Amino acid sequence: MENNRYAKSKELLDRASKVLASGVSSEFRKYNHPHALFYDYAHGSMIRDVDGNEYIDFTLSQGPLILGHSNKRVLDAVESYSREGQLYAGQHLKEIELAEKLQEIIPTAELMRFCLDGSEAVQTAFRVARSKTKRNLFLRFEGHYHGWLDNVAYGISVPQGGFGSRDKPNISPWSQGMAVSSSSEFILIPWNDVELLEKTIGKYKDELAAVITEPIMCNNGCIPPRAGYLEKMRELTSKYGIALIFDEVITGFRMSLSGAQGYFNIQPDLSIYAKAMGSGYPISAIVGKKEWMEEISSGRVIHAGTMNASNPTVAASLATIEELQADTDVYSRLFRLGNDLKSGLEELAAKHGQNLLVQGPGPMFNTSFTNLKAQYEYRDLLQNDKAKLNQFISQLHEEGIRVIGRGLWYISSTTTDEDVNKALVAAGKVLKHL
């Protein structure tokens, strides 16, 4: 029987499917519950669909909304600056102010360029690394997500024949239509294995232009680095003149104002910031040490983009950072609320005999159903009970709690203790009968 709670969304989805492929503009929107939904209002930690159903939103648009929905300071800044122009095909004052602000708060932001999204900025970083080192390969890790373009879209799904050996994994394309040649651009290994990291970098040191990593494996399992792992990565890349690239698309502005590099006190050569920087407006930045970014400054590396650093996106980013700086206890609150929610979920799982694993630093964390007590790499996720997770997320949704389908939760500056308590009441109800 059709769920009448979502009748208007279903009607709009049927209409959209006649003009949009699958009725959506991004693949993962298809997998909402019970189908792709349409929304008409969101404010703070709440979002409402077109059928009038309201949810406490822990998806936060897949992460960008660190200030919650419809932040007044951001919207006012966008409206005001857009009145002066939208896109100049030239420079403007707030672009400098944003760059100066990033330089002030990010230790390695000696020079930078603005792009539209994380995928584009990652490819810029590869181009910079290849130009400077005169090498071609880059090292990346199973389960780490660096965008949807071909050369980073292998190794983010389980290979059909299994993972294969640790030092020479099997890889599968994430999508049909990917260039076969793109699979020769990188070396892929499991993450968090320091001995394998040292062995692999030693073997390919004369061919590697870069090592790219999520400092915390947020996209799959929200897995933290083992003690000393990122430090060893920094040591080895420095030793062999290889660029260390931190993909801070998720960790940026969530772990601290300076991102994971500030939180862990490790300085990469190049970093990618996006998502939370723009509070939902399309902007990213490649920031880095001058010796690397000079590849762009000199013109040896071409970086371009008609829409880069438009007035609305820059205004949104500057307002977002200013708001985070003005809220002096925002990070202690993000961590406290996230950890309260984590510990509450763990207590409920124990009470109801559910094998729920809750893992992550707090401002973002992951829930999965597994008998493992901790997960350290992508291969550990094979033991997850995906069907059970789907039931958990879907039933939470019916209780008015919106969570990303793969089990990832985000906390915003507008999340409240009441939101956390309501989420725990809903989770208790679901876990009791799961």
Side-chain angles (χ1 to χ4, degrees):
M1 182 188 292
E2 189 69 43
N3 192 330
N4 289 328
R5 283 191 65 192
Y6 310 105
K8 191 169 182 182
S9 264
K10 182 61 169 65
E11 180 184 327
L12 290 174
L13 180 60
D14 290 343
R15 176 181 168 187
S17 296
K18 297 174 182 177
V19 287
L20 295 169
S22 300
V24 298
S25 290
S26 180
E27 190 68 11
F28 296 107
R29 297 175 193 172
K30 287 167 31 177
Y31 305 112
N32 212 329
H33 170 79
H35 46 67
L37 296 185
F38 288 75
Y39 300 90
D40 62 7
Y41 181 76
H43 192 274
S45 60
M46 184 276 292
I47 189 169
R48 183 183 70 198
D49 68 29
V50 293
D51 288 280
N53 302 303
E54 293 188 357
Y55 312 90
I56 299 172
D57 191 10
F58 292 99
T59 75
L60 297 174
S61 295
Q62 300 280 342
L65 301 179
I66 193 168
L67 301 178
H69 293 276
S70 309
N71 177 270
K72 186 178 187 304
R73 185 175 195 154
V74 172
L75 296 183
D76 285 352
V78 169
E79 181 182 11
S80 173
Y81 203 45
S82 296
R83 286 199 195 102
E84 299 178 21
Q86 298 139 286
L87 188 65
Y88 296 137
Q91 301 306 110
H92 53 96
L93 177 60
K94 285 195 185 296
E95 186 176 358
I96 305 174
E97 293 176 351
L98 176 59
E100 288 172 340
K101 183 66 72 175
L102 294 178
Q103 189 178 72
E104 171 193 328
I105 63 179
I106 300 171
T108 57
E110 295 177 359
L111 288 173
M112 67 201 74
R113 280 286 181 95
F114 294 118
C115 312
L116 282 176
D117 62 24
S119 296
E120 181 184 359
V122 163
Q123 298 300 317
T124 305
F126 289 156
R127 189 176 284 188
V128 166
R130 284 168 165 159
S131 176
K132 181 170 173 57
T133 63
K134 310 305 181 201
R135 305 168 188 162
N136 289 316
L137 291 178
F138 57 92
L139 176 66
R140 45 183 294 267
F141 303 96
E142 290 176 341
H144 284 222
Y145 183 78
H146 303 297
W148 64 282
L149 301 182
D150 286 10
N151 60 1
V152 289
Y154 292 84
I156 54 177
S157 57
V158 178
Q160 288 184 349
F163 283 108
S165 66
R166 297 184 67 78
D167 59 348
K168 195 172 182 181
N170 297 327
I171 60 170
S172 294
W174 193 38
S175 166
Q176 295 296 308
M178 289 166 52
V180 175
S181 60
S182 63
S183 66
S184 65
E185 295 184 29
F186 59 87
I187 305 297
L188 183 75
I189 59 173
W191 197 57
N192 252 343
D193 184 334
V194 71
E195 291 182 6
L196 181 58
L197 177 74
E198 192 161 10
K199 175 184 173 184
T200 305
I201 290 179
K203 180 178 179 181
Y204 293 101
K205 63 183 185 296
D206 296 325
E207 300 170 71
L208 283 173
V211 175
I212 186 169
T213 187
E214 293 183 67
I216 298 170
M217 188 173 159
C218 297
N219 281 287
N220 279 296
C222 220
I223 299 172
R226 290 181 186 267
Y229 186 67
L230 295 178
E231 289 82 354
K232 177 58 73 171
M233 195 181 293
R234 175 67 283 182
E235 176 192 325
L236 293 168
T237 50
S238 294
K239 179 179 178 180
Y240 297 118
I242 299 165
L244 177 58
I245 304 170
F246 273 9
D247 184 335
E248 297 237 38
V249 167
I250 292 179
T251 54
F253 308 102
R254 283 199 164 273
M255 295 303 293
S256 71
L257 260 181
S258 53
Q261 61 187 267
Y263 182 82
F264 292 118
N265 193 27
I266 296 174
Q267 294 197 358
D269 299 302
L270 300 165
S271 304
I272 310 303
Y273 287 82
K275 291 212 178 197
M277 183 169 77
S279 283
Y281 287 84
I283 189 169
S284 63
I286 170 176
V287 312
K289 297 176 180 176
K290 186 175 181 179
E291 63 178 296
W292 292 89
M293 292 298 290
E294 280 289 348
E295 298 301 311
I296 296 177
S297 299
S298 67
R300 290 187 291 273
V301 166
I302 299 299
H303 165 262
T306 299
M307 306 298 291
N308 290 352
S310 69
N311 289 27
T313 62
V314 168
S317 298
L318 195 54
T320 299
I321 295 169
E322 289 170 347
E323 182 89 338
L324 290 170
Q325 286 184 309
D327 188 349
T328 54
D329 72 342
V330 65
Y331 287 101
S332 60
R333 199 165 69 249
L334 290 175
F335 276 89
R336 180 184 65 79
L337 288 168
N339 284 315
D340 285 351
L341 186 48
K342 283 174 58 183
S343 59
L345 288 168
E346 289 169 341
E347 290 169 11
L348 288 168
K351 176 182 177 180
H352 297 296
Q354 299 288 356
N355 61 339
L356 180 71
L357 174 65
V358 188
Q359 186 163 284
M364 62 283 193
F365 64 88
N366 189 78
T367 48
S368 58
F369 290 89
T370 176
N371 292 326
L372 294 176
K373 301 304 179 186
Q375 295 174 328
Y376 298 100
E377 60 176 65
Y378 185 54
R379 295 180 181 218
D380 291 340
L381 274 60
L382 259 191
Q383 300 185 41
N384 290 355
D385 187 335
K386 291 184 178 180
K388 196 172 184 180
L389 177 66
N390 288 340
Q391 290 178 18
F392 180 60
I393 300 298
S394 297
Q395 289 177 34
L396 280 177
H397 191 272
E398 291 292 323
E399 297 293 330
I401 306 299
R402 187 176 183 231
V403 180
I404 295 173
R406 64 182 182 276
L408 184 60
W409 301 58
Y410 285 107
I411 306 296
S412 81
S413 67
T414 59
T415 304
T416 65
D417 288 289
E418 184 180 6
D419 293 333
V420 169
N421 292 334
K422 285 181 178 179
L424 290 174
V425 169
K429 189 184 298 186
V430 172
L431 288 168
K432 182 178 180 179
H433 299 290
L434 199 60

